[in-house]
Amino acid sequence: MIKRLLALDGVMVVCHFRDDGELIEGYGMFEEDMMRRLAKFAHDYKRMVQGNTDQFSMFTRLPGWAPPGGWNVRGDKTTVCSVGNLVCVIDNEEASLNEVMREMVDVSRY
């Protein structure tokens, strides 16, 4: 199912990981070791974002912040995107971030 994300322009790699950060499956231009590290990074970053949004919601009492729907880390040439237990790396010049995130939300529901 996650392979369909590779059909989007600019998607270089996509990975699905378990709740403990272990790689379930990964496809794309990275070697398997790099995919495992990407999955671990995404897991750790997801937990950090969840903790920050939980605290923000608790202290401000503003609704709608938790749980986070996803996150992005943008670099000069690539962006790491994650929704649920999916993570992908996209080329900033070729990919549409909005399109990738919409598809990731859809795929993460399966």
Side-chain angles (χ1 to χ4, degrees):
M1 187 55 145
I2 70 170
K3 281 185 180 180
R4 84 179 207 194
L5 293 169
L6 285 175
L8 300 174
D9 290 338
V11 175
M12 300 163 58
V13 65
V14 59
C15 297
H16 182 212
F17 57 92
R18 295 189 322 210
D19 286 336
D20 64 357
E22 289 297 315
L23 180 67
I24 296 173
E25 60 182 328
Y27 305 99
M29 299 169 56
F30 289 4
E31 298 291 327
E32 187 172 340
D33 179 58
M34 189 66 159
M35 287 185 197
R36 277 195 297 274
R37 291 190 290 168
L38 176 63
K40 180 69 172 144
F41 165 76
H43 169 266
D44 293 347
Y45 203 86
K46 175 184 173 182
R47 297 295 179 225
M48 184 179 66
V49 169
Q50 284 177 334
N52 288 340
T53 55
D54 288 346
Q55 286 181 347
F56 183 77
S57 294
M58 183 177 67
F59 291 127
T60 63
R61 298 182 190 251
L62 294 173
W65 288 95
W71 54 267
N72 300 300
V73 177
R74 186 174 177 89
D76 288 339
K77 297 181 181 183
T78 60
T79 298
V80 178
C81 309
S82 185
V83 173
N85 285 6
L86 297 176
V87 62
C88 70
V89 177
I90 63 172
D91 182 304
N92 291 344
E93 292 183 11
E94 295 180 21
S96 164
L97 181 59
N98 289 335
E99 180 183 12
V100 170
M101 291 303 288
R102 268 193 308 270
E103 287 296 317
M104 288 184 77
V105 167
D106 190 39
V107 170
S108 73
R109 293 183 177 149
Y110 291 100

